[in-house]
Amino acid sequence: LALVNRETLFEQNPDFYRSSLADTQNNIGAVYFFLNDYSNSIKYYRLALCNYELLYEQGKEEYRSELAMLQYNLANAFVANNNLEEALSAIDKAISLDPTESDNYDTKGEIYLKQGDEKKAFEMWEKVLELNPDFLKDKPDGTNLSNGLKNLGLIK
């Protein structure tokens, strides 16, 4: 219902409601992600991404962070859907938009590990710790870095 309402408002005034529609699409993508419905998650993340890209291309720099976040979300949905090449492309876009966000490198490390490249995974996780030395303290469980190190038997 929220999506229908936002789409209706968007049709009436696209310039004003584009970001609101994109927020709703992103939220729906997140709901599908947590329901493990990655195809629909990817669909809605891509819709939101298109709207934010249009805003950003209009010179609205404030949407850069939303674009980075959506690329990050999209990368995680691709990883969950085992589409690692598209995941790598999306996370590289997220990094280019926000090279200071440690979570982006954490996800890139996971992608490399899933591709069997432990060396590149460790390089990404070193970057995570360079950007955020307290990353493991702040997030001791559930991160790609902590899970990857546990899977490799390097930490408990």
Side-chain angles (χ1 to χ4, degrees):
L1 186 56
L3 180 61
V4 171
N5 288 337
R6 296 288 164 93
E7 288 172 335
T8 301
L9 291 168
F10 173 78
E11 288 171 14
Q12 294 169 6
N13 189 344
D15 291 334
F16 188 77
Y17 288 104
R18 185 174 304 280
S19 66
S20 179
L21 176 60
D23 287 342
T24 301
Q25 291 164 329
N26 177 55
N27 291 339
I28 291 171
V31 168
Y32 278 120
F33 183 86
F34 289 110
L35 293 173
N36 299 321
D37 184 345
Y38 305 118
S39 294
N40 275 314
S41 178
I42 290 165
K43 172 186 168 183
Y44 281 96
Y45 285 151
R46 282 182 166 161
L47 288 169
L49 194 58
C50 287
N51 280 308
Y52 278 128
E53 284 173 341
L54 283 170
L55 290 164
Y56 185 67
E57 289 166 5
Q58 293 171 356
K60 298 178 179 172
E61 182 66 27
E62 64 268 24
Y63 291 104
R64 182 183 197 86
S65 62
E66 277 84 357
L67 280 174
M69 176 208 45
L70 271 163
Q71 290 290 359
Y72 170 81
N73 290 349
L74 193 57
N76 283 298
F78 282 132
V79 168
N81 208 31
N82 207 30
N83 189 336
L84 301 180
E85 289 305 315
E86 287 200 64
L88 193 56
S89 176
I91 204 62
D92 282 341
K93 289 175 186 171
I95 289 169
S96 72
L97 290 161
D98 188 356
T100 64
E101 177 53 61
S102 59
D103 285 329
N104 291 333
Y105 297 95
D106 186 42
T107 294
K108 192 167 182 178
E110 176 190 20
I111 295 165
Y112 282 140
L113 187 62
K114 286 182 180 275
Q115 289 178 328
D117 194 334
E118 291 177 12
K119 183 178 186 284
K120 285 185 179 178
F122 279 110
E123 288 171 6
M124 290 301 105
W125 291 332
E126 285 175 345
K127 182 71 174 176
V128 168
L129 296 174
E130 175 187 317
L131 291 169
N132 182 358
D134 293 328
F135 190 83
L136 283 172
K137 188 185 331 173
D138 295 342
K139 303 174 186 185
D141 295 313
T143 66
N144 299 313
L145 172 54
S146 63
N147 290 338
L149 294 176
K150 286 176 187 175
N151 289 340
L152 293 170
L154 299 174
I155 63 172
K156 292 185 179 199

